[in-house]
């Protein structure tokens, strides 16, 4: 039977603009007829996988998401004395392995036609193979052979690719199904997006006639207690990482700690909206996974939203178990309000 790990988090942000829409406003969603603040799953996943915490825990096993793998190879070849025309052609051949290569008639620079239209997730093993091939082509001053262009690898998969998947339209045989699903985080209570009108003063404008602001602007922000839901298929993660149990455990610990501690980087310099989860629950078992978002279909109100949110989500958890029955799912909780549970116990539970 498949083992699923589920994480439920409540994280409070007093003032923030963690994830903006195309107008610069915080993203929102209507839930239960009420407007809530929202942080997209893409924003969350990028914050976790690019964090120093993730890097320190899993150094050497993290992939690179880029459209410039062919450009990097071409730049290496040009630096080693290969004619730019040849470097572009050979770099494009390498890029073609990973995605659809640009073919601009009048590119801004010649190396632009070594880039792919798509952002491609590349493992450290694959990037090293590209760099080694670029070095070899430079030394031998020749175009790559077909066999040399078999650069995609399954045997040394990056942990972030194993977790969040990879889709290569031109090489579907090298697609990777994501072992981790992340829901968009949303506020448990109704939120109103507010505007911060701000000014910047020119330090060198001291004349009375020139007094006043050197710049005027507006910035949207909001406040919410966010519910975040994460579901991990442990068996698929183990398969994606080629049966490396030690790496699976390290990956689960790193992901668990990042989800509890790492905030998206949006407008952090303006709001310093960094927060750790105030409450979390981890579940593990073979029962079909389910979110507990329904606990917040009716927005949480009042002046003690955190306590009310915890009461609702734990209550729904228990009632669902009673109604549906089936195999009992093991779970642990961490509650910073009451000083109950611990990070180490939760990570031990997740990774075991």
């Amino acid at each position: 039977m498949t083992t699923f790990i589920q994480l439920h988090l409540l994280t409070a942000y007093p003032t923030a603009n963690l994830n903006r829409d195309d107008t610069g406003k915080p993203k929102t969603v209507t839930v239960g007829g009420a407007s809530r603040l929202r942080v997209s799953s893409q924003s969350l996943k990028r914050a976790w996988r690019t964090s120093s915490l993730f890097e320190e825990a899993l150094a050497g096993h993290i992939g690179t998401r880029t459209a410039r793998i062919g450009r990097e190879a071409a730049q290496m070849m040009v630096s080693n004395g290969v004619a730019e025309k040849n470097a572009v052609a050979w770099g494009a051949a390498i890029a073609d392995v990973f995605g659809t290569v640009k073919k601009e008639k009048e590119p801004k620079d010649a190396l632009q036609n070594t880039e792919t239209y798509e952002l491609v997730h590349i493992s450290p093993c694959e990037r090293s193979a590209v760099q080694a091939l670029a070095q070899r082509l430079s030394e031998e001053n020749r175009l790559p052979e077909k066999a040399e262009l078999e650069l995609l690898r399954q045997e040394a998969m990056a942990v972030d690719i194993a977790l969040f998947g990879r889709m290569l339209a031109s090489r579907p045989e090298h697609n990777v199904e994501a072992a981790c699903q992340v829901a968009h985080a949303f506020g448990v209570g109704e939120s109103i997006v507010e505007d911060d009108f701000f000014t910047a003063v020119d330090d060198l404008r001291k004349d009375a006639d020139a007094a006043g602001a050197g710049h005027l602007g507006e910035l949207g922000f909001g406040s919410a207690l966010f519910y975040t839901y994460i579901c991990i298929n442990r068996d698929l993660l183990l398969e994606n990482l080629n049966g490396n149990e030690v790496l699976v455990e390290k990956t689960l610990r790193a992901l668990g700690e990042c989800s509890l501690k790492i905030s998206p980087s949006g407008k952090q310099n303006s709001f310093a909206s960094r927060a750790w989860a105030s409450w979390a629950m981890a579940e593990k078992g073979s029962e079909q996974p389910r979110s507990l978002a329904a606990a917040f279909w009716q927005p949480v109100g009042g002046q003690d939203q955190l306590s009310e949110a915890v009461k609702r989500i734990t209550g729904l958890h228990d009632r669902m178990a009673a109604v549906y029955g089936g195999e009992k799912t093991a779970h642990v909780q961490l509650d910073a309000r009451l000083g109950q549970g611990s990070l180490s116990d939760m990570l031990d539970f997740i990774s075991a």
Side-chain angles (χ1 to χ4, degrees):
M1 293 186 290
T2 302
T3 298
F4 294 100
I5 299 166
Q6 300 176 84
L7 299 176
H8 309 269
L9 315 175
L10 292 173
T11 309
Y13 291 94
T15 56
N17 187 342
L18 298 169
N19 192 201
R20 304 186 295 281
D21 63 18
D22 57 343
T23 69
K25 299 283 189 181
K27 289 186 176 180
T28 59
V29 61
T30 300
V31 178
S35 180
R36 321 287 184 93
L37 288 182
R38 172 174 64 92
V39 178
S40 73
S41 58
Q42 183 178 12
S43 176
L44 292 169
K45 288 184 285 189
R46 175 167 174 75
W48 299 336
R49 74 176 186 84
T50 60
S51 68
S52 58
L53 195 159
F54 202 75
E55 172 63 39
E56 290 166 8
L58 298 164
H61 299 285
I62 301 173
T64 302
R65 198 174 184 212
T66 182
R68 294 191 161 204
I69 190 65
R71 175 184 277 268
E72 182 179 65
Q75 287 173 328
M76 285 182 62
M77 290 185 275
V78 169
S79 298
N80 290 333
V82 175
E84 185 177 70
K85 181 179 179 181
N86 289 339
V88 169
W90 304 345
I94 290 171
D96 186 59
V97 175
F98 296 92
T100 307
V101 182
K102 294 180 180 178
K103 296 180 180 178
E104 303 290 339
K105 292 183 179 179
E106 296 182 4
K108 295 178 181 178
D109 69 277
L111 294 184
Q112 186 175 343
N113 284 340
T114 62
E115 300 174 10
T116 57
Y117 285 104
E118 311 92 340
L119 286 174
V120 183
H121 219 149
I122 301 166
S123 73
C125 175
E126 291 160 350
R127 189 176 182 187
S128 295
V130 169
Q131 293 169 346
L133 177 57
Q135 182 65 34
R136 187 161 63 250
L137 298 179
S138 301
E139 293 171 354
E140 300 175 9
N141 195 28
R142 62 173 178 82
L143 55 81
E145 298 175 2
K146 184 177 179 180
E148 291 177 309
L149 291 173
E150 296 299 318
L151 296 164
L152 289 167
R153 299 284 184 267
Q154 290 284 1
E155 69 272 12
M157 186 54 61
V159 293
D160 45 346
I161 297 176
L163 281 169
F164 306 130
R166 175 169 73 180
M167 194 281 230
L168 297 172
S170 57
R171 298 288 187 277
E173 67 274 19
H174 290 286
N175 288 349
V176 178
E177 183 180 354
C180 177
Q181 299 170 345
V182 182
H184 289 226
F186 68 92
V188 303
E190 186 170 12
S191 297
I192 298 173
V193 175
E194 302 182 65
D195 289 316
D196 176 30
F197 174 76
F198 64 90
T199 65
V201 177
D202 188 329
D203 292 339
L204 297 182
R205 290 178 65 177
K206 301 194 185 257
D207 297 336
D209 292 342
H215 175 74
L216 306 176
E218 288 186 6
L219 179 62
F221 70 95
S223 172
L225 174 66
F226 285 93
Y227 169 63
T228 306
Y229 172 67
I230 304 164
C231 178
I232 306 158
N233 181 329
R234 195 187 194 284
D235 298 272
L236 181 56
L237 180 61
L238 181 62
E239 178 183 336
N240 286 351
L241 292 175
N242 303 297
N244 189 332
E245 184 65 45
V246 173
L247 187 54
V248 167
E249 292 177 9
K250 289 176 65 176
T251 300
L252 290 171
R253 293 186 73 88
L255 177 64
E257 187 168 0
C258 284
S259 67
L260 290 162
K261 289 183 174 181
I262 300 299
S263 305
S265 60
K267 290 297 179 182
Q268 287 290 3
N269 290 345
S270 299
F271 295 106
S273 48
R274 298 183 180 276
W276 291 3
S278 295
W279 177 90
M281 178 168 63
E283 300 181 88
K284 184 165 59 177
S286 59
E287 189 66 76
Q288 281 297 302
R290 46 80 191 105
S291 165
L292 294 172
F296 311 116
W297 202 255
Q298 180 180 352
V300 176
Q303 296 181 343
D304 191 6
Q305 292 191 10
L306 179 54
S307 295
E308 176 63 21
V310 173
K311 180 181 177 181
R312 284 199 197 180
I313 197 170
T314 53
L316 179 62
H317 171 267
D318 294 344
R319 288 189 293 274
M320 276 194 165
V323 169
Y324 284 98
E327 181 183 337
K328 187 174 182 180
T329 302
H331 65 279
V332 296
Q333 292 186 41
L334 177 157
D335 194 331
R337 301 169 308 146
L338 306 177
Q340 296 176 349
S342 71
L343 174 63
S344 60
D345 287 347
M346 178 158 283
L347 297 184
D348 288 344
F349 175 81
I350 292 169
S351 60

